[in-house]
């Protein structure tokens, strides 16, 4: 058995949960797109080129409102800003990936990140090919799911009002998952409170950038407090 | 379709490029060296959690809490997700159930 087949066989079981998740989210996405009169071709193009669920859901807003490329650009940067931190965590793992590296980075979505960063591989598996197949399989599930949705949306017609709540539900579920770890709670609360504050002050159309700035400031202050507390405890021990 | 096909292609390219910037930037910035700046590391630890908070608020930005239906559909659907997720810990189930509950509420209950 050559090393690629071996890596593919090792990668597949890890991607099964993503398969179910992406199928549903992808179908919902395809249906939403077709409910706005964007057929399978557009859905395919989007899922192939962007491969970022939340940004693609968000992009439906850009496609259905007044043409505003700058807003589309900024909102996508903001919604995907978390990828910066995935990238920082993957610098080491992906450093010897060679010709596979561009695709690995291209496909570093939340789910791929969580598999790659949490998996300990047996020695006889080529890790770069393993990462490659995890990324490729997830990408394929996402494209297939959204195409299935686009097809279903064109065949069956039902009231899709409220289906866009799937994005909110996704974030709430991620939030709960993070909340279970106590260390994550302070930054999570900072994120919510600063955003609500900026929403009230700046209004619903322009609160995102101020929120990011305020969150960054709050987290920076929080860090000082954190290190000071740490130093105090250490002095106390001495 | 609200946009022309050309505008649509442009929007798709912009969304793709912006996404790629967020994915490639760390690898470009810290090329060849591991990030050993403690501030960046700290942000890497806490920012993902704060960001999700921001995204939830973003999703709910158009909810009007001062007039009917006072965001009741959203509140009920989120409560349903929280309860279900603590109980079953199944990501897909929580998302599907929360979305279906919300759809039923906005389509049949709070019109």
């Amino acid at each position: 058995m050559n090393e690629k087949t071996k890596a593919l066989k090792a990668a597949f079981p890890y991607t099964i949960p993503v398969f179910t998740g992406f199928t549903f989210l992808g179908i919902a996405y395809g249906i939403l797109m077709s409910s706005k009169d964007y057929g399978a071709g557009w859905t395919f193009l989007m899922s192939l080129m962007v491969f970022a669920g939340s940004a693609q859901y968000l992009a439906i807003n850009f496609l259905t409102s007044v043409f505003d490329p700058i807003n589309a650009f900024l909102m996508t940067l903001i919604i995907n800003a978390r990828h910066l931190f995935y990238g920082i965590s993957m610098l080491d793992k992906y450093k010897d990936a060679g010709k596979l590296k561009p695709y690995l980075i291209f496909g570093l979505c939340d789910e791929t990140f969580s598999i790659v960063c949490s998996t300990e591989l047996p020695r006889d598996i080529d890790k770069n090919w393993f990462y490659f197949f995890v990324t490729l399989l997830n990408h394929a599930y996402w494209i297939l799911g959204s195409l299935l949705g686009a097809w279903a949306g064109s065949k069956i017609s039902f009231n899709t009002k409220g289906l866009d709540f799937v994005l909110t539900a996704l974030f709430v579920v991620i939030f709960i998952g993070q909340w279970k770890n106590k260390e994550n709670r302070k930054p999570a609360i900072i994120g919510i409170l600063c955003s609500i504050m900026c929403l009230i002050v700046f209004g619903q159309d322009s609160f995102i950038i101020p929120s990011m700035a305020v969150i960054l400031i709050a987290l920076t202050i929080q860090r000082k407090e954190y290190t000071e507390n740490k130093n105090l405890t250490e002095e106390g021990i001495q | 379709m609200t946009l022309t096909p050309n505008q649509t292609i442009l929007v798709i390219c912009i969304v793709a490029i912006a996404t790629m910037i967020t994915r490639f930037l760390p690898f470009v910035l810290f090329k060849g060296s591991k990030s050993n700046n403690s501030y960046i590391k700290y942000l890497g630890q806490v920012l993902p959690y704060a960001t999700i908070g921001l995204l939830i608020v973003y999703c709910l930005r158009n909810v009007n809490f001062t007039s009917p239906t006072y965001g009741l559909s959203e509140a009920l659907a989120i409560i349903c997700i929280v309860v279900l997720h603590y109980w079953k810990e199944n990501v897909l189930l929580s998302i599907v159930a929360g979305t279906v509950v919300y759809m039923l509420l906005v389509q049949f209950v709070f019109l």
Side-chain angles (χ1 to χ4, degrees):
Chain A
M1 197 161 54
N2 76 39
E3 60 174 7
K4 284 182 209 168
T5 327
K6 243 177 161 176
L8 176 61
K9 280 195 172 167
F12 178 66
Y14 288 100
T15 65
I16 292 171
V18 182
F19 174 74
T20 54
F22 272 13
T23 309
F24 177 75
L25 288 171
I27 288 176
Y29 176 70
I31 292 176
L32 272 176
M33 283 287 278
S34 74
S35 76
K36 310 287 181 198
D37 291 330
Y38 284 93
W42 294 118
T43 302
F44 173 75
L45 206 62
M46 200 67 136
S47 289
L48 178 77
M49 285 174 59
V50 180
F51 187 32
S54 35
Q56 284 179 234
Y57 274 101
L58 194 69
I60 297 175
N61 297 331
F62 314 147
L63 295 175
T64 51
S65 51
V66 184
F67 181 62
D68 186 353
I70 294 169
N71 177 55
F73 183 74
L74 286 177
M75 279 312 302
T76 308
L77 279 186
I78 290 161
I79 203 166
N80 282 333
R82 65 189 188 285
H83 292 141
L84 293 171
F85 303 105
Y86 298 166
I88 292 172
S89 324
M90 284 297 126
L91 289 172
D92 231 25
K93 288 209 171 191
Y94 284 177
K95 82 176 171 221
D96 308 315
K99 63 180 194 296
L100 299 176
K101 198 171 174 181
Y103 181 68
L104 295 183
I105 300 172
F106 161 83
L108 193 55
C109 63
D110 309 58
E111 289 75 7
T112 304
F113 171 76
S114 66
I115 294 176
V116 170
C117 86
S118 62
T119 310
E120 287 292 326
L121 278 180
R123 282 203 172 169
D124 58 330
I125 307 281
D126 183 285
K127 69 180 177 86
N128 293 322
W129 282 107
F130 175 85
Y131 298 151
F132 172 77
F133 283 118
V134 169
T135 312
L136 185 69
L137 287 169
N138 289 349
H139 196 184
Y141 302 153
W142 177 242
I143 293 173
L144 287 177
S146 50
L147 278 178
L148 212 59
W151 175 78
S154 69
K155 294 287 166 208
I156 323 153
S157 78
F158 65 100
N159 190 348
T160 54
K161 190 181 174 200
L163 185 61
D164 50 356
F165 194 75
V166 70
L167 185 61
T168 317
L170 175 69
F171 291 141
V172 171
V173 167
I174 297 175
F175 188 85
I176 299 167
Q178 296 173 344
W179 187 261
K180 286 179 179 163
N181 185 345
K182 280 192 177 152
E183 278 180 23
N184 303 338
R185 289 185 186 173
K186 256 196 180 153
I189 294 170
I190 286 175
I192 296 255
L193 290 184
C194 295
S195 315
I196 293 177
M197 209 175 72
C198 291
L199 175 62
I200 294 167
V201 175
F202 296 95
Q204 60 202 46
D205 296 323
S206 49
F207 78 103
I208 291 280
I209 305 271
S211 298
M212 289 190 83
V214 176
I215 286 172
L216 217 54
I217 293 166
L219 288 174
T220 308
I221 294 169
Q222 164 68 22
R223 178 180 181 234
K224 277 182 188 161
E225 195 180 287
Y226 173 79
T227 32
E228 275 166 16
N229 282 345
K230 207 173 156 191
N231 290 341
L232 279 176
T233 2
E234 275 169 11
E235 277 168 25
I237 292 165
Q238 283 161 2
Chain B
M1 283 170 71
T2 325
L3 305 183
T4 66
N6 283 341
Q7 288 176 329
T8 305
I9 289 178
L10 198 62
V11 167
I12 294 177
C13 289
I14 285 169
V15 173
I17 290 167
T19 302
M20 288 317 130
I21 289 174
T22 64
R23 287 185 183 160
F24 278 89
L25 198 63
F27 293 91
V28 176
L29 284 181
F30 304 109
K31 208 174 182 181
S33 69
K34 200 175 160 0
S35 154
N36 45 17
N37 180 319
S38 68
Y39 181 60
I40 296 288
K41 265 189 188 160
Y42 166 75
L43 286 182
Q45 282 164 5
V46 292
L47 242 155
Y49 309 116
T51 312
I52 296 294
L54 167 62
L55 292 178
I56 292 178
V57 176
Y58 176 79
C59 284
L60 299 172
R61 72 192 183 286
N62 292 324
V63 178
N64 193 337
F65 291 97
T66 52
S67 65
T69 56
Y70 307 104
L72 267 176
S73 312
E74 286 79 8
L76 288 173
I78 288 175
I79 289 168
C80 168
I81 295 170
V82 173
V83 171
L84 205 57
H85 202 62
Y86 266 92
W87 180 32
K88 291 286 184 187
E89 297 205 6
N90 181 326
V91 172
L92 191 61
L93 177 73
S94 308
I95 294 176
V96 174
T99 308
V100 170
V101 165
Y102 183 78
M103 288 176 76
L104 293 174
L105 286 174
V106 294
Q107 288 182 24
F108 299 108
V109 186
F110 305 108
L111 301 166

